[in-house]
Amino acid sequence: LLGWCFLCVAVTFLVCGVVMACFACLVGGFCAAGAFAGLPCPSGRYQNGTLLTLNISMTSADDCVACPAGAFCSTGAAAPTQCAPGTVQPLAQQGACVKCAAGTYQEGSAETACLECPGGSFCAEGASAALPCLEGTFSSAPGLASSGQCADCPEGAFCPTGATDYSECSPGTVQPLAQQGSCAKCAAGTYQGSEGETACFACLEGEYCAEGASAGLPCPSGRYQNGTLLTLNISMTSAGDCVACPEGTFCSTGAAAPTQCAPGTVQP
């Protein structure tokens, strides 16, 4: 072996005493003239070897390529890394991406800005997607940061998942509780004719009420209903549940009680 080493030119480095040759600088680094080893590109810059193949100088950190917006380059990077969903980077030459702030989200990769969370949803810090307000809650306001900021659904109404407003219970249904995702049908023998109510009413005399009734229907001619069955919790859900009018009487449509035949008339 010779007893001396020669100076490597820029973009190469020397392993002296092992092999009398200089090697091309590795990707992710730069090599000044006389380099014993390549130095890594600093955070926010990269070097993927393309410049070396074009014989372009890579002698200092400034010769490393600036990382583009929407990506980050850690120390010694050979290529930019795209920002993951939930993170963004609006600036070039950065060593890390930043999480989307609470109340915003970003579902794409390599993005430079976060999007405002829409109404009916919430977005925690670093969200890659907007999450819907929970069943029984609602909100029309954008930019919510947590599910706790969604408002509770009031009594007499329901709120499905992701609701931007509450919906009043329709006739024939009620909801006595707050923070609910649906309304309940009025039980058989009861009814409710209005919207947004919390309780059903007992079916009136002379009528019957099927489950979910918004109004009582009259007992047909020849039958009656005087409320006695309702007080005994006996179902009055169809015309057949109305009581048959006895002999010697008649029952007009919607009768609450039989009417006796007048003198000179009969009903066998």
Side-chain angles (χ1 to χ4, degrees):
L1 294 175
L2 297 176
W4 49 271
C5 294
F6 59 88
L7 184 68
C8 287
V9 297
V11 309
T12 65
F13 67 97
L14 173 68
V15 181
C16 185
V18 178
V19 178
M20 289 296 292
C22 297
F23 300 95
C25 203
L26 302 177
V27 295
F30 62 93
C31 301
F36 180 75
L39 295 176
C41 288
S43 175
R45 289 179 173 270
Y46 73 98
Q47 192 269 97
N48 61 7
T50 301
L51 297 179
L52 296 175
T53 60
L54 297 175
N55 292 319
I56 297 176
S57 175
M58 286 296 302
T59 62
S60 71
D62 291 339
D63 292 327
C64 296
V65 183
C67 210
F72 72 96
C73 298
S74 53
T75 301
T81 301
Q82 292 183 341
C83 292
T87 67
V88 295
Q89 182 48 262
L91 304 176
Q93 199 172 330
Q94 300 301 306
C97 297
V98 293
K99 291 181 178 179
C100 288
T104 66
Y105 76 102
Q106 178 52 257
E107 60 186 6
S109 300
E111 296 294 339
T112 59
C114 298
L115 306 174
E116 186 175 45
C117 211
S121 63
F122 63 94
C123 301
E125 182 185 34
S128 59
L131 296 177
C133 286
L134 302 177
E135 181 180 78
T137 66
F138 73 98
S139 178
S140 61
L144 299 189
S146 69
S147 60
Q149 292 179 308
C150 298
D152 289 346
C153 209
E155 298 173 358
F158 70 98
C159 299
T161 301
T164 57
D165 200 357
Y166 65 84
S167 300
E168 291 187 331
C169 294
S170 59
T173 68
V174 295
Q175 184 47 262
L177 304 176
Q179 202 172 345
Q180 300 300 306
S182 62
C183 297
K185 290 182 179 181
C186 288
T190 67
Y191 76 99
Q192 177 52 259
S194 301
E195 295 182 342
E197 297 296 334
T198 60
C200 300
F201 301 109
C203 208
L204 302 178
E205 292 184 351
E207 298 178 345
Y208 62 93
C209 301
E211 182 185 38
S214 59
L217 295 176
C219 287
S221 175
R223 290 179 174 271
Y224 74 97
Q225 193 270 100
N226 62 8
T228 301
L229 297 179
L230 295 177
T231 61
L232 297 175
N233 291 322
I234 297 176
S235 176
M236 290 295 300
T237 64
S238 68
D241 293 325
C242 296
V243 184
C245 217
E247 299 171 359
T249 65
F250 72 95
C251 297
S252 56
T253 301
T259 300
Q260 290 184 342
C261 291
T265 65
V266 295
Q267 182 48 265

